[in-house]
Amino acid sequence: MPLFKPPFYKLPIFKTGWLLLALLSYSSLGIAATLTLKQAEALALASNPALHAADSNAVAMAAIPSQVSSLPDPTLSLNAMNLPVNSFSTTQENMTQMQIGFSQALPFPGKLALKAEAAERLAEAAASNRDELRLLLLRNVRIHWWNLAYLDKALMLVQSNQALLRNLVRVSEAKYKTGSGLQQDVLLAQLELSHLLDRELSLKTQREFQVAELNALLGRDSVAALTLPEQLPEIIKATPNIIVLKQWARDNRPMLASLNRHVDAAGSLVALAEKDYYPDFKLGAVYGVRQGINPVNRQSRSDLGSIMLSMTLPIYAGNKQDRAVDQRKAEKAKAEFSWQDGLNRVYAEIDAAASDLRITREQLSLFKQGIIPQARQTTASMLAGYQVNKVDFLNLVRAQLAEFNNDIQYWQLYARAAQAEARLAAASGKKHLEKDVINHE
């Protein structure tokens, strides 16, 4: 079934940003525009605040590597050295100096590069987390959109069956008045009609909940009206290639990529901790200005210069560097185990979604080709028999309700199959299940 599109959406100008702008305008005006699945996905990607937060976090993390790979800021010093406190004169004492100094901390070679490497891997992990959130957002939008689609179909069926039962109530009342029917038939029809009214209220409550959930994903007010098209997208009619999907997920699922980047970052931090066994340096230079006359040779006092080199002494390695290396190695092992656990969970998600999709598609085929046509034939036969008093009213009502329940279950299975497809795509790290991962039947 093709996607339903109002005529103005067919214009080229509405196929890109204008379409999203129109949707946002409808939302701000409180107009319940028909929302297709593709439009819901586009709106969520453009407006979901959690996705924007993840994107901002990725941008922030990307700014860290250049910071940690830079040398520490140098130090500028201004000193008054050997200044006599009895006069504060700069000419009284021979060693009095007004100094200007400059010093620069120099980490042991390789440390800054390792810090930058770890930060780059963590920035890549943040970008992968954003991509993972985008996948999960699309999955959740599809799940809630299909829940809403099923509820709309169920409400339509409930209202249609209410009309049928009202007609049966009138028929049973007419037969009862003419003496060819029973009062219990009238009461039974009224009872089943009441049950349908109760079910309608329950479905409307569920729909309000799904509307609120979907609006939250779309970045809209939770009570904004949502109207879905009557024609629904088709579900896939072929079997996904699980082996291909698992290989793709291993190589491309953002969650696994993020966990792998954490493993790489942990490895860099292990190497950095091992570098801490070596000293860091500090290089400095000072220029001292002296004033006054040298009493020995009666000449102006010469200025003085100093050069300094200092280094740290890692003499507490047993309690400090050794423990830091152990800590970083344990963190790397944790990251590796987390990646393996993530891979196992991804494979389990793929298997579960693929199984659900396969079984649901088989159930849909059974309902479409067997159960629903048989139920319709049964109801028609019961109705014909009831009109000539060959079938009792109870069996007619049961047949009508069975047909109604089968119709509702069909659309529930239809939505469930589409949701399984959405879960399978997300678990595999794909926005959509493409032709290269489908085994055509």
Side-chain angles (χ1 to χ4, degrees):
M1 288 177 288
L3 287 173
F4 173 79
K5 292 184 179 180
F8 65 86
Y9 286 144
K10 297 180 180 178
L11 297 175
I13 195 172
F14 284 100
K15 290 184 178 180
T16 53
W18 290 99
L19 175 57
L20 181 58
L21 180 60
L23 286 172
L24 294 173
S25 299
Y26 287 160
S27 174
S28 62
L29 294 174
I31 301 174
T34 300
L35 185 70
T36 66
L37 181 56
K38 287 186 177 180
Q39 292 166 358
E41 293 170 1
L43 190 57
L45 293 177
S47 305
N48 184 267
L51 185 58
H52 286 305
D55 187 59
S56 296
N57 181 62
V59 172
M61 294 294 291
I64 294 178
S66 65
Q67 301 177 49
V68 298
S69 63
S70 301
L71 287 171
D73 291 337
T75 301
L76 177 67
S77 59
L78 299 174
N79 309 315
M81 186 175 181
N82 298 321
L83 187 66
V85 296
N86 60 346
S87 64
F88 294 101
S89 172
T90 59
T91 60
Q92 177 180 328
E93 298 294 335
N94 190 41
M95 294 305 297
T96 298
Q97 304 172 46
M98 304 304 293
Q99 294 182 334
I100 181 171
F102 178 89
S103 62
Q104 174 67 62
L106 300 171
F108 192 85
K111 285 187 176 181
L112 292 180
L114 288 170
K115 288 182 178 179
E117 187 177 292
E120 286 171 0
R121 300 294 85 78
L122 293 177
E124 292 169 0
S128 295
N129 289 337
R130 175 201 57 205
D131 296 339
E132 176 72 11
L133 181 60
R134 183 182 291 114
L135 273 182
L136 298 183
L137 176 62
L138 288 175
R139 181 199 67 185
N140 293 338
V141 166
R142 290 165 185 164
I143 287 175
H144 287 292
W145 191 93
W146 278 107
N147 280 337
L148 208 54
Y150 153 67
L151 291 170
D152 283 349
K153 293 292 185 181
L155 282 168
M156 182 181 68
L157 289 169
V158 166
Q159 292 164 359
S160 174
N161 277 268
Q162 285 175 0
L164 289 174
L165 275 178
R166 288 190 179 96
N167 184 55
L168 288 178
V169 169
R170 288 192 293 269
V171 171
S172 62
E173 288 176 342
K175 296 187 70 173
Y176 173 67
K177 290 178 181 178
T178 60
S180 59
L182 301 174
Q183 185 181 21
Q184 66 188 37
D185 294 344
V186 179
L187 297 175
L188 177 62
Q190 291 174 340
L191 175 62
E192 294 302 333
L193 179 59
S194 298
H195 285 161
L196 282 182
L197 292 172
D198 177 67
R199 190 162 187 178
E200 180 181 13
L201 292 175
S202 176
L203 290 171
K204 286 182 177 179
T205 300
Q206 295 177 48
R207 191 184 191 282
E208 289 178 359
F209 173 78
Q210 292 299 328
V211 166
E213 291 291 313
L214 184 54
N215 274 326
L217 295 174
L218 301 182
R220 308 198 319 168
D221 192 300
S222 61
V223 297
L226 284 176
T227 302
L228 270 54
E230 293 183 5
Q231 290 183 310
L232 300 179
E234 289 186 346
I235 58 175
I236 62 173
K237 296 180 179 179
T239 303
N241 189 324
I242 303 305
I243 296 177
V244 173
L245 287 176
K246 286 184 176 180
Q247 184 59 50
W248 177 272
R250 184 186 180 97
D251 298 335
N252 299 281
R253 175 78 184 263
M255 181 188 75
L256 295 179
S258 175
L259 292 173
N260 198 34
R261 296 291 81 78
H262 278 282
V263 172
D264 295 339
S268 298
L269 292 176
V270 169
L272 180 60
E274 292 172 345
K275 283 282 186 180
D276 280 340
Y277 285 109
Y278 301 97
D280 293 329
F281 303 96
K282 190 172 185 179
L283 180 64
V286 176
Y287 186 85
V289 178
R290 295 195 299 169
Q291 297 179 355
I293 302 299
N294 192 328
V296 176
N297 54 19
R298 307 304 298 174
Q299 295 181 356
S300 297
R301 293 168 179 162
S302 62
D303 296 340
L304 301 177
S306 302
I307 297 178
M308 299 166 290
L309 176 65
S310 60
M311 67 180 68
T312 59
L313 298 177
I315 60 177
Y316 305 112
N319 293 326
K320 189 176 180 181
Q321 281 81 1
D322 288 350
R323 300 288 77 77
V325 170
D326 292 342
Q327 173 196 342
R328 295 303 187 184
K329 287 182 176 179
E331 291 173 350
K332 183 180 179 183
K334 173 189 173 184
E336 292 170 342
F337 284 125
S338 296
W339 180 87
Q340 186 61 53
D341 178 65
L343 181 64
N344 293 341
R345 287 188 287 112
V346 165
Y347 284 175
E349 289 175 11
I350 292 175
D351 287 332
S355 176
D356 194 16
L357 178 59
R358 175 179 56 82
I359 294 174
T360 306
R361 285 174 52 235
E362 292 176 357
Q363 290 177 300
L364 275 173
S365 178
L366 178 61
F367 268 79
K368 188 174 183 179
Q369 299 176 13
I371 294 177
I372 290 179
Q374 293 167 3
R376 298 210 194 293
Q377 292 173 2
T378 301
T379 303
S381 175
M382 289 286 184
L383 181 59
Y386 175 72
Q387 290 173 344
V388 295
N389 296 321
K390 290 184 177 180
V391 174
D392 62 71
F393 189 74
L394 177 60
N395 286 330
L396 173 61
V397 171
R398 284 176 176 173
Q400 181 63 54
L401 292 177
E403 180 183 343
F404 160 69
N405 288 326
N406 289 332
D407 288 341
I408 283 198
Q409 192 170 356
Y410 172 82
W411 287 112
Q412 189 173 28
L413 288 170
Y414 195 95
R416 181 177 170 183
Q419 291 169 336
E421 182 182 341
R423 292 198 306 273
L424 183 58
S428 306
K430 287 179 168 288
K431 291 182 179 180
H432 300 281
L433 293 181
E434 301 162 350
K435 293 182 179 180
D436 59 340
V437 295
I438 297 295
N439 291 329
H440 292 284
E441 298 176 343

